[in-house]
Structure formats: C-alpha cells, structure tokens
Amino acid sequence: MREIVLDTETTGFEPAEGHRIVEIGAIELFNHMPTGRTFHHYVNPERAMPTEAFQVHGLGDDFLRDKPRFVDIAAAFLDFLGGDSRLVIHNAAFDMKFLNAELGWVNLPPIAMERALDTVALARRKFPGAPASLDALCRRFGIDNSARENHGALLDSELLAEVYLELIGGRQPDLVLAVTAGPASAGVASGWKPGPRPAALPPRLTEEEKAAHAALVEALGEGAIWKRFD
C-alpha cells in the first residue's frame, strides 16, 4: 500500500483571501515504511509575506523571490502523489483547501478529499481530550523534534510519518515484514513464499550443555517428559 505523508506552509489561513502556498513537503511510504522518495519545493507566492506567517515558518520575501511558482511544479507534484495513494495530513482540511485552491487557479482538477487521512482526527479518537498538535504527539511517542525550531513542510512530514506509524500501532501494525524499496519491488515481495533453508543452521548447544541436560533428565526418573520424545 502506497501512502504520501505531506505538509504545506502558507502565507496565511484562507486562500479565498489571497493567501498562497509557500512550501510543500511530502514523503512516500510503502507498507507503512519510508521508501526514501520525497517531494520538496519552496514556492514563490507572488505576494508579500505577512509578518505573522513569517514568524511561523521563517520564509520571507527575499528567500522566496527566485523560487518556482506553483504552476511550475504542479505537474511534478501531482505525478508524485499518483492517482490513488492515500494522503496522510495533519489537519487535512487546511492543506487540502490550499492545494485544491492552487490547482484550481492553474486549471487543474482538485484532489478528492476522500483520499486524505487526517492524523489530528486519528489522534483525537485514540487519545480523547489530549493535545493533538504535532509537537504534543512527538512528545507522547518520544519522537525527537528538537530540529523543529520553525515549521517546515519537509521536516514536519518526516515527523508526521513517525507519529502516524505510532498512531496506527507502530512500524509493523500488520505484523508483517514491510517492503522498503517502493512499488517497483512489490511484485517480487508479493511472490515470496517460505521454504526450508538450503543448509541447516549448525547446533548452538555445546557438548557440555548436552551432557548436563542428559544428567538432569536422568535424575528426574522414568516420568520425565523429555523421555517421551527420545
């Protein structure tokens, strides 16, 4: 199963008021494990950065001025998302609102909200009444977020991936060996079947241990359960 954990940074709270995306970060999971594939771009919002937003993510006008516009990266972004991968997002309504607004402004179809899994809602169901911010969940699960001095889309996606895996029960929620190489190797992995080893492993018992066990069994008498398997 392919999933994309993603985050955005913006100039404000409402695209309807002219606010824009300034950073997109996303990482690919396959069978709940990171594959190493990422998507990350800073985006020129073509507008001034409000002070309040700058204080959150530290992305200013001078830094963003020479970055690509959303229209310049939109096709690559949609290609990375794929057509049906689940999107794992913290406070999904916010990011989806901005992503679909940006897509609409460049005449591209929106992303279906049904694809988004909101980790805020997931955390609130699992821990009712407890704080559900990304920082709070990192503290709960012992995830190191010391590098998070400012909000950053790629770093926050990496942290969210760890939080998400804890929310669904740890790195192996289905008690199966996860594939880490991505969808390209899925056919190889799914075709694997257990079988005997080509060569048996050598015994790890020493001769002294065997002798000690034999003496113990002999001392237990004829009723010793081990004698039934001689």
mmCIF file with all atom_site columns, all heavy atoms in Angstrom, residues 20 37 40 57 90 188 216:
data_model
loop_
_atom_site.group_PDB
_atom_site.id
_atom_site.type_symbol
_atom_site.label_atom_id
_atom_site.label_alt_id
_atom_site.label_comp_id
_atom_site.label_asym_id
_atom_site.label_entity_id
_atom_site.label_seq_id
_atom_site.pdbx_PDB_ins_code
_atom_site.Cartn_x
_atom_site.Cartn_y
_atom_site.Cartn_z
_atom_site.occupancy
_atom_site.B_iso_or_equiv
_atom_site.pdbx_formal_charge
_atom_site.auth_seq_id
_atom_site.auth_comp_id
_atom_site.auth_asym_id
_atom_site.auth_atom_id
_atom_site.pdbx_PDB_model_num
ATOM 1  N N   . ARG A 1 20  ? -1.454 32.061  -0.156 1.00 0.00 ? 20  ARG A N   1
ATOM 2  C CA  . ARG A 1 20  ? -0.886 31.096  -1.076 1.00 0.00 ? 20  ARG A CA  1
ATOM 3  C C   . ARG A 1 20  ? 0.026  30.113  -0.345 1.00 0.00 ? 20  ARG A C   1
ATOM 4  O O   . ARG A 1 20  ? 0.494  30.373  0.769  1.00 0.00 ? 20  ARG A O   1
ATOM 5  C CB  . ARG A 1 20  ? -0.044 31.826  -2.151 1.00 0.00 ? 20  ARG A CB  1
ATOM 6  C CG  . ARG A 1 20  ? -0.767 32.919  -2.925 1.00 0.00 ? 20  ARG A CG  1
ATOM 7  C CD  . ARG A 1 20  ? -1.810 32.358  -3.870 1.00 0.00 ? 20  ARG A CD  1
ATOM 8  N NE  . ARG A 1 20  ? -1.238 31.439  -4.838 1.00 0.00 ? 20  ARG A NE  1
ATOM 9  C CZ  . ARG A 1 20  ? -0.720 31.803  -6.011 1.00 0.00 ? 20  ARG A CZ  1
ATOM 10 N NH1 . ARG A 1 20  ? -0.665 33.085  -6.358 1.00 0.00 ? 20  ARG A NH1 1
ATOM 11 N NH2 . ARG A 1 20  ? -0.243 30.895  -6.852 1.00 0.00 ? 20  ARG A NH2 1
ATOM 12 N N   . ARG A 1 37  ? 11.852 8.161   -1.125 1.00 0.00 ? 37  ARG A N   1
ATOM 13 C CA  . ARG A 1 37  ? 11.397 9.115   -2.139 1.00 0.00 ? 37  ARG A CA  1
ATOM 14 C C   . ARG A 1 37  ? 10.694 10.291  -1.461 1.00 0.00 ? 37  ARG A C   1
ATOM 15 O O   . ARG A 1 37  ? 9.833  10.092  -0.586 1.00 0.00 ? 37  ARG A O   1
ATOM 16 C CB  . ARG A 1 37  ? 10.436 8.476   -3.134 1.00 0.00 ? 37  ARG A CB  1
ATOM 17 C CG  . ARG A 1 37  ? 11.048 7.463   -4.062 1.00 0.00 ? 37  ARG A CG  1
ATOM 18 C CD  . ARG A 1 37  ? 10.047 7.086   -5.156 1.00 0.00 ? 37  ARG A CD  1
ATOM 19 N NE  . ARG A 1 37  ? 9.770  8.241   -6.019 1.00 0.00 ? 37  ARG A NE  1
ATOM 20 C CZ  . ARG A 1 37  ? 8.593  8.472   -6.590 1.00 0.00 ? 37  ARG A CZ  1
ATOM 21 N NH1 . ARG A 1 37  ? 7.572  7.665   -6.367 1.00 0.00 ? 37  ARG A NH1 1
ATOM 22 N NH2 . ARG A 1 37  ? 8.426  9.528   -7.360 1.00 0.00 ? 37  ARG A NH2 1
ATOM 23 N N   . HIS A 1 40  ? 9.868  17.962  -2.460 1.00 0.00 ? 40  HIS A N   1
ATOM 24 C CA  . HIS A 1 40  ? 10.027 19.167  -1.651 1.00 0.00 ? 40  HIS A CA  1
ATOM 25 C C   . HIS A 1 40  ? 10.314 20.359  -2.541 1.00 0.00 ? 40  HIS A C   1
ATOM 26 O O   . HIS A 1 40  ? 11.232 20.323  -3.359 1.00 0.00 ? 40  HIS A O   1
ATOM 27 C CB  . HIS A 1 40  ? 11.168 19.001  -0.638 1.00 0.00 ? 40  HIS A CB  1
ATOM 28 C CG  . HIS A 1 40  ? 11.340 20.201  0.243  1.00 0.00 ? 40  HIS A CG  1
ATOM 29 N ND1 . HIS A 1 40  ? 12.551 20.828  0.442  1.00 0.00 ? 40  HIS A ND1 1
ATOM 30 C CD2 . HIS A 1 40  ? 10.433 20.918  0.962  1.00 0.00 ? 40  HIS A CD2 1
ATOM 31 C CE1 . HIS A 1 40  ? 12.391 21.845  1.258  1.00 0.00 ? 40  HIS A CE1 1
ATOM 32 N NE2 . HIS A 1 40  ? 11.111 21.928  1.576  1.00 0.00 ? 40  HIS A NE2 1
ATOM 33 N N   . HIS A 1 57  ? 7.093  30.176  9.971  1.00 0.00 ? 57  HIS A N   1
ATOM 34 C CA  . HIS A 1 57  ? 7.967  29.313  9.171  1.00 0.00 ? 57  HIS A CA  1
ATOM 35 C C   . HIS A 1 57  ? 9.279  29.965  8.735  1.00 0.00 ? 57  HIS A C   1
ATOM 36 O O   . HIS A 1 57  ? 10.165 29.278  8.226  1.00 0.00 ? 57  HIS A O   1
ATOM 37 C CB  . HIS A 1 57  ? 7.229  28.784  7.934  1.00 0.00 ? 57  HIS A CB  1
ATOM 38 C CG  . HIS A 1 57  ? 6.489  29.825  7.147  1.00 0.00 ? 57  HIS A CG  1
ATOM 39 N ND1 . HIS A 1 57  ? 7.085  30.931  6.601  1.00 0.00 ? 57  HIS A ND1 1
ATOM 40 C CD2 . HIS A 1 57  ? 5.167  29.897  6.816  1.00 0.00 ? 57  HIS A CD2 1
ATOM 41 C CE1 . HIS A 1 57  ? 6.187  31.642  5.944  1.00 0.00 ? 57  HIS A CE1 1
ATOM 42 N NE2 . HIS A 1 57  ? 5.013  31.054  6.073  1.00 0.00 ? 57  HIS A NE2 1
ATOM 43 N N   . HIS A 1 90  ? -1.732 16.219  8.636  1.00 0.00 ? 90  HIS A N   1
ATOM 44 C CA  . HIS A 1 90  ? -2.130 16.696  9.959  1.00 0.00 ? 90  HIS A CA  1
ATOM 45 C C   . HIS A 1 90  ? -3.004 17.937  9.777  1.00 0.00 ? 90  HIS A C   1
ATOM 46 O O   . HIS A 1 90  ? -2.545 18.954  9.270  1.00 0.00 ? 90  HIS A O   1
ATOM 47 C CB  . HIS A 1 90  ? -0.884 17.031  10.787 1.00 0.00 ? 90  HIS A CB  1
ATOM 48 C CG  . HIS A 1 90  ? -1.083 16.913  12.266 1.00 0.00 ? 90  HIS A CG  1
ATOM 49 N ND1 . HIS A 1 90  ? -1.456 15.729  12.871 1.00 0.00 ? 90  HIS A ND1 1
ATOM 50 C CD2 . HIS A 1 90  ? -0.990 17.826  13.266 1.00 0.00 ? 90  HIS A CD2 1
ATOM 51 C CE1 . HIS A 1 90  ? -1.548 15.911  14.172 1.00 0.00 ? 90  HIS A CE1 1
ATOM 52 N NE2 . HIS A 1 90  ? -1.296 17.173  14.440 1.00 0.00 ? 90  HIS A NE2 1
ATOM 53 N N   . VAL A 1 188 ? 8.010  -8.590  -6.610 1.00 0.00 ? 188 VAL A N   1
ATOM 54 C CA  . VAL A 1 188 ? 8.991  -9.522  -6.068 1.00 0.00 ? 188 VAL A CA  1
ATOM 55 C C   . VAL A 1 188 ? 8.605  -9.922  -4.657 1.00 0.00 ? 188 VAL A C   1
ATOM 56 O O   . VAL A 1 188 ? 8.605  -11.088 -4.284 1.00 0.00 ? 188 VAL A O   1
ATOM 57 C CB  . VAL A 1 188 ? 10.395 -8.906  -6.088 1.00 0.00 ? 188 VAL A CB  1
ATOM 58 C CG1 . VAL A 1 188 ? 11.396 -9.841  -5.419 1.00 0.00 ? 188 VAL A CG1 1
ATOM 59 C CG2 . VAL A 1 188 ? 10.819 -8.631  -7.528 1.00 0.00 ? 188 VAL A CG2 1
ATOM 60 N N   . LEU A 1 216 ? 20.293 -34.159 33.964 1.00 0.00 ? 216 LEU A N   1
ATOM 61 C CA  . LEU A 1 216 ? 19.086 -33.643 34.601 1.00 0.00 ? 216 LEU A CA  1
ATOM 62 C C   . LEU A 1 216 ? 17.899 -34.547 34.312 1.00 0.00 ? 216 LEU A C   1
ATOM 63 O O   . LEU A 1 216 ? 17.132 -34.896 35.219 1.00 0.00 ? 216 LEU A O   1
ATOM 64 C CB  . LEU A 1 216 ? 18.819 -32.223 34.105 1.00 0.00 ? 216 LEU A CB  1
ATOM 65 C CG  . LEU A 1 216 ? 17.481 -31.603 34.549 1.00 0.00 ? 216 LEU A CG  1
ATOM 66 C CD1 . LEU A 1 216 ? 17.434 -31.445 36.069 1.00 0.00 ? 216 LEU A CD1 1
ATOM 67 C CD2 . LEU A 1 216 ? 17.239 -30.277 33.855 1.00 0.00 ? 216 LEU A CD2 1
#
